[in-house]
Amino acid sequence: NAGVTQTPKFRVLKTGQSMTLLCAQDMNHEYMYWYRQDPGMGLRLIHYSVGEGTTAKGEVPDGYNVSRLKKQNFLLGLESAAPSQTSVYFCASTGSYRTDTQYFGPGTRLTVL
Amino acid sequence: AQSVTQLDSQVPVFEEAPVELRCNYSSSVSVYLFWYVQYPNQGLQLLLKYLSGSTLVESINGFEAEFNKSQTSFHLRKPSVHISDTAEYFCAARGDNDMRFGAGTRLTVKP
């Protein structure tokens, strides 16, 4: 099993450009999450999904959109990137909402100039 | 909303010394508590978790944490650290709708 994979690993954007981050998991997990990690702030939840075709807002959803068309994939989109979105983005998945472990991908380092 | 506070942003210790990483949470409902570890340039990995039952939980690499409801704490401890324990440690709590992470504690073990 590959677990949770993220594409790309690194990306540099100019302000106003758009991009999509792809998260894939092969554990048949229902729940998937997108977080951003910033120094001194830990991880903050951007959006999450409780199953195929569903999405919900997390703590910091502004400027991001997501889609879960297939159970194994969770896409994070930036329509018009801003320097404040420079961060490391982590995807995670879990099979059980409350009690199970979240499995994290290796992260995507995004820089917006 | 659930919030998690890690009281130390950095903890430097010498090899073989004991260490405690402190975590407090705020909630008026039942919580499930977790410690995750992040090694450089990697994603987070679960270290241990408290769901119910015994308030003392242990990991396979010698860490333990104790759930203290009266003090709303979930401190992480290890009696003797190794160089390989150098990493960032995140305390997390799951509330009704989401998982909240603390800001992280960077543990640096020096020889």
Side-chain angles (χ1 to χ4, degrees):
Chain A
N1 285 351
V4 180
T5 57
Q6 293 183 230
T7 309
K9 289 185 168 52
F10 303 94
R11 186 71 185 269
V12 178
L13 290 179
K14 294 181 179 179
T15 297
Q17 288 184 318
S18 63
M19 77 164 294
T20 299
L21 282 68
L22 171 62
C23 175
Q25 53 94 3
D26 61 2
M27 296 172 282
N28 202 35
H29 284 166
E30 289 291 337
Y31 305 93
M32 297 187 73
Y33 309 86
W34 275 107
Y35 295 92
R36 59 177 289 172
Q37 183 180 28
D38 301 292
M41 302 187 74
L43 274 75
R44 292 180 293 168
L45 183 65
I46 304 171
H47 286 281
Y48 64 99
S49 169
V50 302
E52 182 178 319
T54 73
T55 62
K57 294 180 180 179
E59 183 185 0
V60 288
D62 294 342
Y64 305 96
N65 57 75
V66 288
S67 64
R68 183 98 181 268
L69 298 179
K70 293 183 178 180
K71 186 176 184 179
Q72 63 268 33
N73 295 337
F74 195 29
L75 279 64
L76 177 71
L78 287 73
E79 290 185 347
S80 179
S84 61
Q85 294 178 303
T86 293
S87 187
V88 181
Y89 292 85
F90 287 100
C91 176
S93 72
T94 185
S96 169
Y97 174 68
R98 279 193 172 274
T99 63
D100 206 357
T101 303
Q102 288 200 1
Y103 294 86
F104 283 81
T108 295
R109 185 173 296 276
L110 175 66
T111 302
V112 182
L113 302 175
Chain B
Q2 183 71 34
S3 66
V4 177
T5 304
Q6 291 183 243
L7 299 168
D8 307 289
S9 60
Q10 297 188 57
V11 174
V13 294
F14 287 104
E15 193 173 18
E16 297 183 4
V19 71
E20 178 180 76
L21 308 183
R22 297 179 293 168
C23 172
N24 287 97
Y25 67 93
S26 65
S27 175
S28 61
V29 297
S30 296
V31 297
Y32 303 99
L33 299 166
F34 306 78
W35 275 100
Y36 282 85
V37 58
Q38 183 181 32
Y39 298 104
N41 299 314
Q42 294 185 27
L44 280 68
Q45 305 170 36
L46 180 71
L47 192 59
L48 48 75
K49 60 184 176 182
Y50 170 78
L51 304 179
S52 65
S54 173
T55 57
L56 185 66
V57 290
E58 300 177 350
S59 73
I60 59 173
N61 58 353
F63 282 94
E64 63 179 31
E66 186 164 17
F67 170 59
N68 188 320
K69 188 173 183 178
S70 63
Q71 298 187 7
T72 59
S73 68
F74 191 55
H75 301 333
L76 182 69
R77 302 183 181 96
K78 189 170 186 179
S80 177
V81 293
H82 302 130
I83 297 287
S84 59
D85 292 324
T86 293
E88 187 141 20
Y89 293 79
F90 291 92
C91 182
R94 181 175 290 289
D96 284 340
N97 297 312
D98 61 0
M99 178 88 90
R100 293 297 176 104
F101 287 83
T105 297
R106 184 169 298 279
L107 173 65
T108 303
V109 181
K110 299 178 286 186

